[in-house]
Amino acid sequence: MSSSQPPLKIAVDSGHADTPVWNAKERRQWVATLFLGSMVVFAARTIMPLCAVTVANEFGWDKTDMGLVLGCFFWGYPVFQIVGGYLSDRIGGELVMYRAAAVWSVVTIATPHIAYMYPSKQATVYSMAFLRFLLGLAQGVHYPSLTSLITSKVETGKKAVTLTTVFAAGQAGTVLTGSVGSIILHRFHWSTIFYFFGSLGLIWAIVVRIFSKHSRRKKLVTIPSSSRKDKDDLKKTGGDSYLHGFPIGILCSKAPFWGLFIAHICTGYYFFILLNWIPTYFTEVYPGHKGWVFNVAPWLVAIPSSILSGYLSGQLVKAGCAPGKARKIVFSLCSFGMVSSLVLVSFTTGYNTALVLMVIAAGSQAFANGALPVNIQDIAPKHAGAVFGVLNTVGALQGFIGSYAAGYILHYSESWATVFCSTAAIAFFGWTMFTCFASGKPIL
């Protein structure tokens, strides 16, 4: 007589893989919803870079303190990347996203209150750094969830342009902070910006909760017993795929993954340098110019650049170009712009020239969306969320390293050229690795 227990069956929300792809109307609705949400995500994370100089002056911070506070976001950001992507691949990215949004919105609203709780400079630095860590912790699941959702719910021919359109919201969020945030900062206290964008985040979380509730259904998930018969039955019904682990070992043994991995890290490092230090660069090197111009113009151009990169990537494949080759062409265009612009801005002395070069730099970096995130779907179509989580787990650390390293260099050498030229060299290395090892064929 067998002593094994009968299998347990529980009802849970169905994962997004269990429902059909979105039709045209659903795709437009979700793209608009995800675009707006990603805008607010980036708006919330770029509040501190925008306010850094004002806050530093109020609390007596130096460049090292600023680098620490700005960079701590990226210590929290990697923690739940893989977990968020894995859960999204299983239960649906929208469920993961709105819960996380509620958390980071509350953290954003609470930030100004915490800043004034401590009388000493160091206590304020550490408390603000901890809140940046919590913000990163909660926001870390957003893009793995987003990638998983789009990969699962969008038809193959529309994936590239859909992904790059939604990813363009990151730059749009930076524009939102740079424009609306700059106006709020000019007319009100810096804390008002945190309240404004934190409230928008809470509203978006509620909307997605309501929106997703109507598009989901219940399903039975079988938890196997130790019985061989139960395990065989589970495999026959497909339940094993729901419980199967993420094949990280296989992934790490493939050269195309490492080419993508290194390119993602290098491009992320470049992006975070621009995101965190453009406001400080223009404020210090070219004082007296309007903040909303240099805070908005680079990221405003980056929005159509991101969308165009997805369109170009898709058109190249449609014209008969192999997916891997198409991604390399797009990334080569991106890398040329990234490297040349930062090298040139290192030696310019005019405000207008510097602004144009920074616009090219931000636009070129956004062009990578038509290559790197899309390539994740090429090589791991069934595990896109988890793979994106793996890449961003390490890639996000570059945000901390880059932010702190830039602050350190500026504190001791006051050399913006050193910061920009070293960043350009890292971007060139990423291009080299991607063009040598990347592929457009599935490896998982």
Side-chain angles (χ1 to χ4, degrees), residues 46-71:
T46 52
I47 296 172
M48 186 56 72
L50 176 71
C51 300
V53 175
T54 302
V55 176
N57 289 337
E58 180 173 342
F59 293 105
W61 297 351
D62 58 28
K63 289 291 193 309
T64 303
D65 296 327
M66 288 173 61
L68 176 64
V69 172
L70 292 174

Side-chain angles (χ1 to χ4, degrees), residues 203-254:
I203 293 171
W204 183 78
I206 294 170
V207 170
V208 174
R209 171 69 181 92
I210 296 172
F211 193 45
S212 63
K213 186 176 182 180
H214 296 294
S215 63
R216 308 190 65 83
R217 55 184 173 81
K218 296 291 184 178
K219 74 171 185 178
L220 286 177
V221 175
T222 304
I223 307 300
S225 68
S226 58
S227 163
R228 180 186 297 273
K229 179 179 182 300
D230 290 333
K231 293 178 180 179
D232 291 340
D233 289 343
L234 183 62
K235 290 179 180 179
K236 289 178 182 179
T237 59
D240 186 57
S241 63
Y242 183 83
L243 300 170
H244 196 276
F246 173 52
I248 184 69
I250 297 176
L251 182 70
C252 291
S253 68
K254 305 294 184 179

